[in-house]
Amino acid sequence: MTADSSKNERYNARQAEARWQKVWSERDIFATKNDDPRPKYYVLEMFPYPSGRIHMGHVRNYTMGDVVARFKRAMGNAVLHPMGWDAFGMPAENAAIDRKVHPKSWTYDNIAAMKKQLQSMGLSLDWAREVATCDPAYYKHQQKMFLDFLKAGLVERKQSKVNWDPVDQTVLANEQVIDGRGWRSGALVEQRELTQWFFKISHYSEDLLKALDTLERWPEKVRLMQKNWIGRSEGLLLRFMLDPATTPNKENELEIFTTRPDTLFGAKFMALSPDHPLSQAAAKKNPKLAEFIEQCHRMGTAQAEIETAEKLGFDTGMRAIHPFDRNWTLPVYVANFILMDYGTGAIFGCPAHDQRDLDFVNKYGLGNTPVVCPPGQDPKTFVITDVAYDGDGTMINSRFLDGMTIEQAKEEVAKRLETETRGNRPVAQRQVNYRLRDWGISRQRYWGCPIPIIHCEKCGVVPVPENDLPVTLPEDVTFDKPGNPLDHHPTWKSVRCPKCAGPARRETDTMDTFVDSSWYFARFTDPWIKTAPTDRKTVDEWLPVDQYIGGIEHAILHLLYSRFFTRAMRKCGLVGMDEPFSGLFTQGMVVHETYRAKNGEWIEPANIKIEGIGDARRAMVAATGEPVEIGSIEKMSKSKKNTVDPDDIIAAYGADTARWFMLSDSPPDRDVIWTEEGVQGAWRFVQRLWRLVGEIANIQAPAVRPQNLGESAIKVRKAAHRALAHVSEDIDKLRFNRCIAHIYEFANALGDAIGNIEKAPDDGLSWSLREAGDILVQLFHPMMPHLAEECWAALGHKTLVASEGWPKVEPQLLIEDTITLPVQINGKKRAEVTVNRNATNKEIEAAVLALDAVKKALGGQSPKKVIVVPQRIVNVVV
RNA sequence: GCGGACGUGGCGGAAUGGUAGACGCAAGGGACUUAAAAUCCCUUGGGAGAUUUCCCGUGAGGGUUCGAGUCCCUCCGUCCGCACCA
């Protein structure tokens, strides 16, 4: 190939990408050894659900992870960068119902298809560690851990009210109910009473909350969301005596939880949850109350209903005695807004300082007494009508609390009541409550990990013996009727009891698929070990994951469950740490314009033609010219048909172009708008780099560095090393958009320098350009690995750039001999001054005062002040 | 209702309290070409001016500072999370 022909030849991404992928795979350069002595770095992207095709969100996510992996590898780390499949879940069952394919074959076909797609992206993954959660070799260990957790007291079976998804016909965890709807089906969730298996995540409430502070490399937003979700509140558990004359049964007290014991003298009523035992007991003797409770149960849990629901109550006739005044009794209501599963399911109501309580008393005419007076208010004139006051202030109308602050009053009430006893127990005790509930994991589905439990009529709940694990899913199941196919299976569930050998029944519920994803990161450290979920030594070497990357949608669900699971695993001796992910990054979504035809139908971008710009911008169906409306920019979704298929993009432009575009423009934590123009820009740059490298490769340059380098040579070296310093820092901080800007800048500088090479005698410029060419290729290698290999080879290297070390910055090249400082007069830029790098502030000041612009501004006067900020700016105050 | 984030050209966005608009996209002009594509060069926040240059400008209004897109206060707007949690 002659120099001229190589100049004009376009880079054939399709051909080159396949070729380099083959080379990487044949030389197995991304395999990670577990006994590698170099410092470890574990980079992980949230593994995908094998839906069948990757989408642009995957491309963005995995590109970011791959940039980090390739960079850290070049930096000399032993990098673990694995991939697997979150392979259990509903869509496989839906496919079975709709298309009569078995969930297993559907899933594995999808895995094969998506693996091929991921491989076409050129990701530097260690595929030898691939795991699929639906593989018995994987879920066997999950079943074992379930039994370990059970032994450790972290699993519990209890009857409880659960979220029931009527469409998916299964139970959902609280975290999986979004706005009152199932996170997957979108159906309005109903309440049902069922016996379920629970992981006792609430056992770790305090620890999960406290440890958030240690997760310094997590986004503040995610930490805050978890903090709010755990919802810690401090208060008082307080026992009210009931007036025996008013109670239908022999109950004599009512325990409530409050965070506002200071407002005790503003109490106007007590309220019980409809599900409270006292309500239930009273209802047995009072049909009207029973009816009221029924009515409460009928009320939906949907967001809209709760928002508009009126506060309703039913007076039970019972009276509670005020803890500080035996002669003061309060009516006991059953109220629809009291939740049974928070606190004790009962409250005292202080209407003046709680909006709900105020709404309630205003409906039932119970009145209110303000007990906290806002600062600056006259207590005598301070009244509450429709708006409760929940701010700070001074205690009033509260006997011995009067004049105290809220905090003092809380303390005083607690002190008095916790030392008072009734029936050998203190009347009150301080308590911390959490919003976080235990994690219900039972799902009435087929395609999930079977819960390894046997129910025996005689022995009760019996764990499956370890030797019998895994409990595998039967393959001969039918999906012709609603409900759980495991339950319908003719034989699978009938077994012998491991204890008494009598007839018994298998648990037919399977585990929530979030269990599968709660420990896969640990399995990757040694996916080959058969006897245990992890090899203790290996897992402790690799974990925690140094950089975890995924969507913000898992801020609570997956990320909280995994934190719990790691703690539970530690308790069972399986890992040596509490936190699974020391660094977390949540990337933004890939969004795209939407297009809608006159008939309301959404049209795919691939079928759209755009004409005009700005206000004149019009969209039409490419084939027919039919005009369509350009809609809002939204997350790529099938329903709005605004998706772009990664396969199409890779076929048209190559993976490197797609990767490059994904990283450019938007900061990685924000949404990126996919545009055809942007992709074409990325593609043009691929070609430009190829031409640029081709030109550099054609330069005749000395093999060794010339003794003396001229000005233009040094300029090139400075540009290279400045880019190197910036890109290194920016990758390290995951600021990929800035990396890309710096690479553009560097490429522009090189282009200019090449233009000069024939104009002047070679003063080392040719050598510097060859050096800079190498650096350029190494810098863009993490983002565009195929093009980088092709360029690396074109520059005459026999190695793979993917296996090269990261170039070293020469710090002296980052320093200029002279610096140009902006000169401000009264804070506005008026001039510039160029001084020696080592000039003292005095010298700089003198140079500045000698400037014409400054002299003019001063008009012969001396300045009030001259501020010299070294290396930055000079400000003259006139 | 509670909590949080954000607001910068035509667009995506740069900017440790220190030259606002890097870099990219789009647009306009030019070169090359029979022509187009591709490529290369120039221009591109608004306004005034022939030039040097000047004025205005980071949602609005105040404040702190020699200096504010950045810090503080008030307001407006957008987005996100939670939501009858006592």
Side-chain angles (χ1 to χ4, degrees), chain A residues 370-662:
Chain A
V371 290
V372 178
C373 186
Q377 270 276 351
D378 181 357
K380 290 194 185 84
T381 60
F382 181 55
V383 288
I384 298 279
T385 53
D386 294 327
V387 183
Y389 178 70
D390 60 2
D392 232 333
T394 311
M395 301 309 301
I396 52 169
N397 303 324
S398 295
R399 305 188 191 179
F400 56 87
L401 299 176
D402 281 353
M404 290 185 185
T405 64
I406 290 176
E407 279 315 306
Q408 287 165 338
K410 277 183 184 171
E411 184 59 32
E412 182 63 27
V413 169
K415 240 196 255 166
R416 288 186 184 224
L417 292 179
E418 73 189 346
T419 49
E420 189 179 321
T421 58
R422 195 162 65 232
N424 288 331
R425 278 175 56 214
V427 168
Q429 60 194 101
R430 293 169 211 247
Q431 203 197 40
V432 175
N433 256 311
Y434 301 91
R435 223 185 63 111
L436 183 66
R437 310 287 154 71
D438 283 331
W439 173 17
I441 59 149
S442 299
R443 296 292 180 273
Q444 294 68 41
R445 305 303 324 169
Y446 165 71
W447 194 234
C449 172
I451 295 173
I453 288 292
I454 289 165
H455 300 281
C456 171
E457 277 172 37
K458 264 197 247 165
C459 314
V461 171
V462 182
V464 171
E466 238 175 83
N467 289 339
D468 294 348
L469 295 182
V471 176
T472 51
L473 289 168
E475 298 206 9
D476 53 335
V477 282
T478 55
F479 296 89
D480 46 5
K481 46 186 165 180
N484 184 353
L486 287 178
D487 211 27
H488 305 151
H489 193 278
T491 55
W492 185 75
K493 64 184 171 187
S494 50
V495 283
R496 294 264 150 207
C497 170
K499 265 193 191 161
C500 69
R505 180 180 62 79
R506 267 194 203 290
E507 171 74 59
T508 57
D509 284 353
T510 51
M511 294 185 208
D512 180 5
T513 56
F514 277 97
V515 179
D516 313 338
S517 55
S518 289
W519 67 284
Y520 77 107
F521 46 86
R523 184 66 186 168
F524 278 140
T525 63
D526 185 352
W528 304 282
I529 185 167
K530 291 205 167 74
T531 53
T534 57
D535 174 70
R536 181 59 196 273
K537 184 170 165 282
T538 309
V539 76
D540 284 356
E541 276 164 7
W542 283 113
L543 284 184
V545 174
D546 294 277
Q547 187 62 62
Y548 197 35
I549 308 176
I552 186 81
E553 66 272 18
H554 290 111
I556 292 171
L557 289 161
H558 163 60
L559 290 167
L560 190 60
Y561 293 149
S562 298
R563 295 182 65 218
F564 157 72
F565 226 85
T566 307
R567 284 164 170 77
M569 285 174 79
R570 183 182 199 171
K571 190 169 185 188
C572 297
L574 296 169
V575 296
M577 77 291 302
D578 284 338
E579 290 295 341
F581 315 119
S582 62
L584 173 70
F585 189 84
T586 52
Q587 102 264 6
M589 294 182 297
V590 182
V591 296
H592 196 289
E593 252 177 0
T594 50
Y595 308 102
R596 202 165 198 179
K598 284 245 162 60
N599 61 7
E601 219 176 285
W602 301 100
I603 316 282
E604 295 89 345
N607 297 332
I608 291 287
K609 196 174 139 198
I610 305 273
E611 280 181 2
I613 51 153
D615 291 343
R617 204 161 163 274
R618 299 277 180 274
M620 63 192 80
V621 177
T624 63
E626 183 205 343
V628 298
E629 191 193 327
I630 299 179
S632 57
I633 295 170
E634 305 205 33
K635 177 181 181 174
M636 283 191 182
S637 72
K638 279 184 196 139
S639 62
K640 302 246 165 100
K641 290 194 182 169
N642 60 340
T643 56
V644 174
D645 191 326
D647 266 2
D648 295 345
I649 299 299
I650 290 172
Y653 300 101
D656 285 338
T657 297
R659 292 169 60 123
W660 185 259
F661 177 63
M662 274 304 174

Side-chain angles (χ1 to χ4, degrees), chain A residues 173-465:
Chain A
N174 288 324
E175 291 82 353
Q176 293 157 5
V177 180
I178 315 291
D179 292 344
R181 292 172 183 273
W183 72 290
R184 189 171 270 287
S185 72
L188 277 174
V189 167
E190 299 165 3
Q191 301 297 310
R192 284 204 183 175
E193 194 82 25
L194 284 177
T195 304
Q196 300 284 299
W197 287 98
F198 286 85
F199 280 155
K200 291 169 82 175
I201 187 169
S202 65
H203 178 78
Y204 292 104
S205 294
E206 182 65 23
D207 187 45
L208 286 166
L209 179 71
K210 260 199 191 140
L212 285 173
D213 290 338
T214 68
L215 299 174
E216 283 162 21
R217 293 198 302 118
W218 277 44
E220 196 55 49
K221 183 187 167 79
V222 174
R223 290 197 270 171
L224 192 70
M225 280 168 72
Q226 291 210 355
K227 186 183 166 202
N228 291 339
W229 188 262
I230 295 167
R232 181 184 201 274
S233 56
E234 282 179 25
L236 211 58
L237 208 56
L238 173 54
R239 294 156 63 206
F240 278 71
M241 283 231 292
L242 290 172
D243 179 352
T246 63
T247 57
N249 298 315
K250 51 190 181 301
E251 297 88 3
N252 56 13
E253 67 173 35
L254 172 60
E255 193 168 38
I256 61 100
F257 174 76
T258 178
T259 56
R260 294 296 301 273
D262 54 305
T263 63
L264 216 38
F265 288 103
K268 290 292 168 191
F269 65 96
M270 311 293 292
L272 306 173
S273 162
D275 300 313
H276 195 282
L278 217 49
S279 310
Q280 298 288 329
K284 281 192 184 132
K285 309 210 166 169
N286 186 341
K288 280 196 174 160
L289 175 57
E291 198 184 299
F292 174 76
I293 290 174
E294 260 311 292
Q295 191 192 327
C296 292
H297 284 154
R298 275 199 301 274
M299 197 183 69
T301 50
Q303 175 195 11
E305 289 179 68
I306 287 171
E307 259 179 10
T308 54
E310 208 181 350
K311 306 274 175 282
L312 293 176
F314 188 97
D315 190 349
T316 62
M318 292 186 273
R319 308 287 298 188
I321 297 166
H322 196 282
F324 288 121
D325 188 342
R326 292 187 162 273
N327 300 318
W328 180 357
T329 66
L330 297 154
V332 179
Y333 280 75
V334 173
N336 64 352
F337 62 97
I338 309 300
L339 306 172
M340 190 54 222
D341 47 6
Y342 186 81
T344 62
I347 61 151
F348 83 83
C350 175
H353 306 289
D354 182 294
Q355 192 59 47
R356 289 160 305 177
D357 296 350
L358 186 63
D359 293 346
F360 189 79
V361 295
N362 284 348
K363 182 170 172 68
Y364 293 102
L366 302 172
N368 76 74
T369 307
V371 290
V372 178
C373 186
Q377 270 276 351
D378 181 357
K380 290 194 185 84
T381 60
F382 181 55
V383 288
I384 298 279
T385 53
D386 294 327
V387 183
Y389 178 70
D390 60 2
D392 232 333
T394 311
M395 301 309 301
I396 52 169
N397 303 324
S398 295
R399 305 188 191 179
F400 56 87
L401 299 176
D402 281 353
M404 290 185 185
T405 64
I406 290 176
E407 279 315 306
Q408 287 165 338
K410 277 183 184 171
E411 184 59 32
E412 182 63 27
V413 169
K415 240 196 255 166
R416 288 186 184 224
L417 292 179
E418 73 189 346
T419 49
E420 189 179 321
T421 58
R422 195 162 65 232
N424 288 331
R425 278 175 56 214
V427 168
Q429 60 194 101
R430 293 169 211 247
Q431 203 197 40
V432 175
N433 256 311
Y434 301 91
R435 223 185 63 111
L436 183 66
R437 310 287 154 71
D438 283 331
W439 173 17
I441 59 149
S442 299
R443 296 292 180 273
Q444 294 68 41
R445 305 303 324 169
Y446 165 71
W447 194 234
C449 172
I451 295 173
I453 288 292
I454 289 165
H455 300 281
C456 171
E457 277 172 37
K458 264 197 247 165
C459 314
V461 171
V462 182
V464 171

Side-chain angles (χ1 to χ4, degrees), chain A residues 93-223:
Chain A
E93 286 186 63
N94 292 338
I97 295 161
D98 296 345
R99 280 173 256 172
K100 311 264 182 270
V101 287
H102 195 276
K104 183 176 171 183
S105 59
W106 183 84
T107 302
Y108 277 101
D109 286 352
N110 285 352
I111 287 175
M114 287 177 76
K115 184 172 178 178
K116 214 174 144 200
Q117 286 187 296
L118 290 183
Q119 284 170 330
S120 76
M121 283 181 61
L123 304 170
S124 64
L125 293 162
D126 183 359
W127 282 105
R129 292 171 189 258
E130 179 181 4
V131 298
T133 57
C134 64
D135 184 349
Y138 180 86
Y139 69 67
K140 171 189 170 180
H141 303 294
Q142 192 163 305
Q143 292 174 338
K144 170 68 168 47
M145 281 191 280
F146 177 92
L147 299 178
D148 288 348
F149 292 2
L150 185 63
K151 256 184 243 161
L154 294 171
V155 178
E156 165 176 58
R157 184 174 146 87
K158 62 185 177 191
Q159 202 186 14
S160 86
K161 223 187 228 184
V162 294
N163 307 300
W164 179 259
D165 187 321
V167 169
D168 284 352
Q169 298 237 335
T170 188
V171 163
L172 297 176
N174 288 324
E175 291 82 353
Q176 293 157 5
V177 180
I178 315 291
D179 292 344
R181 292 172 183 273
W183 72 290
R184 189 171 270 287
S185 72
L188 277 174
V189 167
E190 299 165 3
Q191 301 297 310
R192 284 204 183 175
E193 194 82 25
L194 284 177
T195 304
Q196 300 284 299
W197 287 98
F198 286 85
F199 280 155
K200 291 169 82 175
I201 187 169
S202 65
H203 178 78
Y204 292 104
S205 294
E206 182 65 23
D207 187 45
L208 286 166
L209 179 71
K210 260 199 191 140
L212 285 173
D213 290 338
T214 68
L215 299 174
E216 283 162 21
R217 293 198 302 118
W218 277 44
E220 196 55 49
K221 183 187 167 79
V222 174
R223 290 197 270 171

